[in-house]
Amino acid sequence: MLAATARVTGDLDLAEECVQDAYIAALDAWARDGVPRKPGAWLTQTAKRKALDLLRRDKVFRAKMPLLVEPDADMNVTTDETDEIPDDRLRLIFTCCHPALAREAQVALTLRLVCGVATPDISRAFLVSEPTMAARLTRAKKKIAAARIPYRVPAAADLPERLDAVLSVIHLLYTTGHTAPSGADLVRADLVERAVALARMLLALMPDEPEVRGLLALLLLTDARRAARTDARGRLVVLEDQDRSLWDRAAVAEGRDLAVAAFRTGRVGRYAVQAAIASLHAVAPSTEATDWRQVVGLYDVLLRIWPSPVVALNRAVAVAMVDGPEKALEEVDLLATDDRLAGYHYLPAVRADLLRRLSRFGQAADAYRAAVALADNDAEREFLEIRLAEVVDSAEGRSSGG
């Protein structure tokens, strides 16, 4: 709805107001007349009509005309089949990822407005505080208005320069759904499926871009494990304990084919490398049988392409499988000095697991407590609390000589 309305207004704030007004109108009209056959189309059409009414009433309709994405006088809510970008959401993602905005602002604004990700969840994805992220979003919207950035579909020649930001948006959208930053459920299936659908649309739009193939491959290979990631009670099941017969083998096969195709181009980026790592996990019959040395090697490549502390932390997990938990713990302790990981609950969680495997149960308990304090997802917190109870029992048993 927001994407379609923004195409009329050329103004995100105004589009948001009109969408909200459409929902208010629905509360009255639907209670009186019943829910229409196509509620989404009704809401979108109502929002767009309210936008046009406001523009005309405020006598700025002519001033806004240069910003209109396309003529929309017939109020047709279906996607124009001649449009180069086949979906309103993908169209607005490309629009929000305008090079006049800073990269982080592009990604954050698009996640908030187009994908509906809450500001606290975006702040967690960027490893910054919620007030900092809220301020960034406000500045980005103000810059769009002040610079009169048009809400139009970029020309085909302009798509590549915006591609990396668009890929980041879809990846972060998927990550937010794969493990929900907060709430009772581990997975937000709606965000996962939206991200996969957008990645497929992007591949149809730009079939020759290896990183688009790499991203879709990564999403499919990772999401293939969804059914095995929780038990019947919704509790988290870690990779080593998952029933691999529940993995979606069709998704694994498609993801592997896409990853291989991306590598064959010789232009390998961070998403293709991550897809290759996910592929190694997907084909292994067990955790122990995984080619961990190759996983570490791929993480080395990924760190050169994308030097991120989160990547370094994931690499440390693989190092533990190759060189043992003591070596991995040394790397994790070095990462603990990186301010960017402050508040990142996976850091103490990984450290706790390594200490547990080293039978340093007292220190592991402290690390698990730190992870529990930072975790906002109920399923993850419950898993950490169970592990905490286990290491506490082990520590007490050791102290008592049992």
Side-chain angles (χ1 to χ4, degrees):
M1 287 175 60
L2 179 64
T5 307
R7 292 167 62 194
V8 174
T9 65
D11 184 310
L12 278 174
D13 282 327
L14 181 57
E16 285 185 287
E17 290 177 14
C18 293
V19 167
Q20 292 167 6
D21 288 345
Y23 275 104
I24 293 172
L27 289 174
D28 177 58
W30 296 2
R32 182 181 64 251
D33 304 326
V35 178
R37 187 169 60 88
K38 294 183 178 180
W42 189 100
L43 286 163
T44 302
Q45 196 171 42
T46 300
K48 291 165 79 175
R49 285 197 177 114
K50 287 181 177 294
L52 288 171
D53 288 344
L54 283 172
L55 290 172
R56 292 189 183 101
R57 186 171 67 239
D58 294 340
K59 299 182 179 180
V60 296
F61 187 69
R62 290 186 181 275
K64 292 288 185 181
M65 280 296 290
L67 300 182
L68 296 184
V69 173
E70 62 184 11
D72 212 3
D74 62 356
M75 300 305 298
N76 187 359
V77 297
T78 61
T79 301
D80 184 351
E81 293 180 355
T82 65
D83 277 0
E84 188 154 12
I85 302 179
D87 180 85
D88 267 333
R89 288 169 300 181
L90 191 59
R91 180 183 292 108
L92 191 54
I93 287 175
F94 268 106
T95 302
C96 287
C97 291
H98 194 283
L101 299 175
R103 171 56 58 84
E104 287 193 348
Q106 294 175 24
V107 177
L109 186 65
T110 310
L111 283 172
R112 180 71 194 98
L113 295 179
V114 185
C115 303
V117 180
T119 302
D121 291 344
I122 299 173
S123 67
R124 293 185 185 95
F126 279 87
L127 306 180
V128 299
S129 68
E130 183 179 346
T132 297
M133 181 52 64
R136 286 182 187 176
L137 292 170
T138 299
R139 285 196 299 269
K141 291 168 73 175
K142 286 182 177 178
K143 182 165 186 177
I144 286 175
R148 295 176 62 80
I149 293 174
Y151 289 86
R152 63 169 62 102
V153 177
D158 296 327
L159 295 180
E161 70 173 334
R162 305 189 192 191
L163 177 60
D164 190 61
V166 173
L167 291 170
S168 296
V169 166
I170 297 175
H171 183 233
L172 280 173
L173 177 63
Y174 174 82
T175 301
T176 303
H178 177 71
T179 302
S182 59
D185 298 325
L186 181 68
V187 177
R188 280 195 59 184
D190 59 327
L191 297 184
V192 167
E193 289 159 10
R194 189 178 305 167
V196 172
L198 287 170
R200 289 192 184 280
M201 292 175 194
L202 189 59
L203 182 60
L205 178 67
M206 307 177 76
D208 297 326
E209 287 291 341
E211 274 294 77
V212 178
R213 294 180 188 177
L215 176 64
L216 180 55
L218 173 61
L219 303 193
L220 291 172
L221 287 163
T222 307
D223 193 47
R225 304 196 296 263
R226 191 200 309 183
R229 293 181 64 223
T230 55
D231 63 16
R233 292 176 52 191
R235 294 177 300 188
L236 173 66
V237 180
V238 294
L239 181 62
E240 63 191 63
D241 296 329
Q242 288 178 13
D243 179 355
R244 297 186 179 218
S245 69
L246 297 176
W247 290 4
D248 185 341
R249 291 299 163 185
V252 169
E254 183 183 1
R256 290 193 70 203
D257 288 345
L258 286 164
V260 169
F263 268 79
R264 282 177 177 164
T265 66
R267 294 180 290 139
V268 178
R270 58 175 171 159
Y271 298 109
V273 174
Q274 290 178 87
I277 294 170
S279 182
L280 289 174
H281 290 297
V283 300
S286 66
T287 299
E288 295 75 16
T290 303
D291 189 345
W292 288 104
R293 290 192 181 278
Q294 190 172 355
V295 171
V296 172
L298 285 168
Y299 271 121
D300 289 337
V301 174
L302 184 58
L303 274 172
R304 289 196 294 271
I305 298 173
W306 187 28
S308 159
V310 173
V311 173
L313 181 62
N314 291 335
R315 180 186 179 277
V317 174
V319 166
M321 302 300 295
V322 176
D323 299 323
E326 189 72 54
K327 175 63 176 176
L329 184 61
E330 293 175 8
E331 298 188 9
V332 171
D333 285 342
L334 285 175
L335 288 170
T337 63
D338 192 323
D339 291 340
R340 290 174 294 177
L341 292 180
Y344 188 61
H345 71 281
Y346 292 118
L347 177 65
V350 169
R351 187 171 186 275
D353 185 64
L354 296 172
L355 289 165
R356 178 184 65 87
R357 291 164 62 183
L358 290 166
S359 298
R360 293 159 61 175
F361 299 120
Q363 292 173 282
D366 290 338
Y368 275 124
R369 290 187 185 98
V372 168
L374 293 171
D376 290 319
N377 180 277
D378 293 351
E380 286 191 313
R381 188 188 303 109
E382 181 182 9
F383 172 81
L384 293 168
E385 288 171 342
I386 291 171
R387 282 290 171 89
L388 171 59
E390 291 172 353
V391 296
V392 167
D393 286 344
S394 297
E396 290 176 350
R398 172 170 293 184
S399 65
S400 65

